[in-house]
């Protein structure tokens, strides 16, 4: 069997088109959504990520309102800047680009963001709402995974989903999201991690396997049920700079029914869903 490729690039483009149309409608009603990316210091990789997010925003009509702070800024000044953005009505969404310089506390900074503007979905209020079954701003990567599944008609309701990885950013919120009672969810979810005994015995039972470990070859062909859907969240870099995921794509794509490539799978969806969240935040602030 050769798996159907779940094309994250094309799906993200469609999502951006939808967001652009909805942003235009909101702008006609007098509200232009704005995203503020707080970038501290001059880490080149972070600067590239933020520049990419700003380009994405501009392409869909979201204003990007960058906030740059020097590498030696103290926590109180960082918080004051976040407070200023929290109070600015032109700012619908705020992201604090990580990593922060080592002397700063990233969790305290993220918790300083107004939950209504927390488009990364990492504030305890948004994490709590998801846990409670009343999601508002959900982290972009899990949301992107869910949109890929629904776009490709993968049955999630009643499915057995095994997520490998339990991070606050990906594994945990995805488990919450897919086990909600509602459309595109209602799955039976198992979360695996380094404490899991016999990982393959879990993944082999799954209709949907999600790999989010940052470890190459976490999921190999013998670990996948024939016909299962496999989402690869991982981003690993070869010496030549090219990217690859946590799944042994060449082998697993011979067994799986559908699979995301890396690059071009979950990654572009993460970027698109940040735009979706900014739109959602702007709309809810207007209401
Ligand atoms: P973390 O390092 O925060 O979490 C990794 C998780 O994987 C941990 O829960 C860890 O378990 C688990 N794990 C690691 N190795 C194994 C193993 N051999 N077997 C079972 N479980 C294992 O990573 P993130 O969740 O932040 O990111 C995961 C990957 O996804 C990275 O490659 C990251 O770059 C990528 N990523 C991609 C995004 C995208 O848009 N495509 C967005 C965000 C992340 P334990 O808790 O026991 O340590």
């Amino acid at each position: 069997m050769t798996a159907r490729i779940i094309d994250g690039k094309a799906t993200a483009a469609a999502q951006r088109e939808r967001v652009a149309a909805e942003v235009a409608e909101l702008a006609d009603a007098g509200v232009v959504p704005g995203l503020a990316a707080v970038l501290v210091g001059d880490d080149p990789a972070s600067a590239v990520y933020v520049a990419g997010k700003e380009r994405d925003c501009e392409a869909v009509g979201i204003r990007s309102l960058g906030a740059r702070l020097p590498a030696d800024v103290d926590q109180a000044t960082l918080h004051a800047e976040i407070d200023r953005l929290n109070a600015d009505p032109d700012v619908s969404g705020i992201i604090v680009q990580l990593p922060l310089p080592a002397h700063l506390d990233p969790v305290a900074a993220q918790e300083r963001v107004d939950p209504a503007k927390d488009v990364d979905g990492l504030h305890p209020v948004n994490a709590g709402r998801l846990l409670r079954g009343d999601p508002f701003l959900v982290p972009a990567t899990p949301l992107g995974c869910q949109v890929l599944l629904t776009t490709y008609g993968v049955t999630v309701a009643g499915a057995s989903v095994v997520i490998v990885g339990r991070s606050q950013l990906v594994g945990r919120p995805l488990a919450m999201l897919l086990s909600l009672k509602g459309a595109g969810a209602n799955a039976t979810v198992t979360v695996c991690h380094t404490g899991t005994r016999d990982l393959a015995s879990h993944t082999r039972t799954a209709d949907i396997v999600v790999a989010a470990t940052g470890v190459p070859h976490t999921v190999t062909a013998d670990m996948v049920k024939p016909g299962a859907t496999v989402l690869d969240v991982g981003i690993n870099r070869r010496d030549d700079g090219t990217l690859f995921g946590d799944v042994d794509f060449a082998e697993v794509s011979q067994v799986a029914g559908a699979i995301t490539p890396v690059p071009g799978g979950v990654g572009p969806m993460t970027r698109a869903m940040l735009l979706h969240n900014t739109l959602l935040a702007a709309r809810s602030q207007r209401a």
Side-chain angles (χ1 to χ4, degrees):
M1 178 189 298
T2 305
R4 184 156 74 121
I5 300 299
I6 297 178
D7 185 344
K9 225 171 144 184
T11 311
Q15 288 294 318
R16 281 197 303 273
E17 218 170 280
R18 172 187 61 80
V19 169
E22 293 180 28
V23 165
E25 259 173 47
L26 202 57
D28 286 345
V31 178
V32 178
L35 176 68
V38 179
L39 178 61
V40 181
D42 41 24
D43 175 54
S46 294
V48 168
Y49 288 134
V50 168
K53 289 169 187 174
E54 293 181 342
R55 268 198 314 276
D56 290 348
C57 282
E58 278 146 29
V60 298
I62 292 174
R63 220 180 287 166
S64 62
L65 307 146
R68 305 288 181 266
L69 295 170
D72 62 354
V73 73
D74 61 25
Q75 191 87 30
T77 309
L78 171 59
H79 286 186
E81 178 63 9
I82 295 170
D83 291 345
R84 184 184 70 75
L85 297 169
N86 283 340
D88 184 343
D90 287 338
V91 174
S92 331
I94 301 169
I95 53 174
V96 178
Q97 183 64 42
L98 301 183
L100 292 175
H103 67 283
L104 295 171
D105 177 351
V107 175
Q110 280 169 333
E111 292 186 5
R112 193 78 178 196
V113 173
D114 181 344
K117 298 190 175 187
D118 166 41
V119 287
D120 272 336
L122 295 172
H123 191 284
V125 166
N126 283 313
R129 284 188 63 166
L130 178 59
L131 183 67
R132 201 173 62 176
D134 169 33
F136 171 45
L137 293 167
V138 173
T141 303
L143 205 53
C145 288
Q146 187 184 42
V147 171
L148 283 176
L149 293 170
T150 50
T151 301
Y152 277 79
V154 177
T155 304
V156 179
S160 156
V161 178
V162 171
I163 300 170
V164 192
R166 59 177 159 188
S167 72
Q168 185 207 354
L169 191 61
V170 186
R172 276 181 205 283
L174 182 61
M176 289 304 120
L177 190 62
L178 296 184
S179 59
L180 290 176
K181 194 165 188 169
N186 227 8
T188 304
V189 180
T190 303
V191 180
C192 297
H193 41 73
T194 58
T196 299
R197 219 182 304 136
D198 193 2
L199 178 61
S201 72
H202 295 276
T203 56
R204 270 199 291 266
T205 64
D207 304 309
I208 299 168
V209 178
V210 184
T213 62
V215 177
H217 287 204
T218 298
V219 174
T220 49
D222 57 311
M223 297 169 72
V224 174
K225 179 168 79 174
T229 297
V230 178
L231 302 185
D232 191 351
V233 179
I235 300 176
N236 305 293
R237 202 174 281 276
R238 295 187 189 87
D239 290 342
D240 65 2
T242 55
L243 302 181
F244 66 107
D246 294 345
V247 173
D248 179 355
F249 182 86
E251 299 293 330
V252 173
S253 59
Q254 301 304 309
V255 178
I259 188 168
T260 57
V262 177
V266 175
M269 293 303 294
T270 297
R271 288 175 65 166
M273 298 329 283
L274 175 66
L275 304 175
H276 166 87
N277 276 351
T278 306
L279 170 66
L280 191 67
R283 235 191 235 137
S284 94
Q285 285 155 35
R286 177 176 177 246

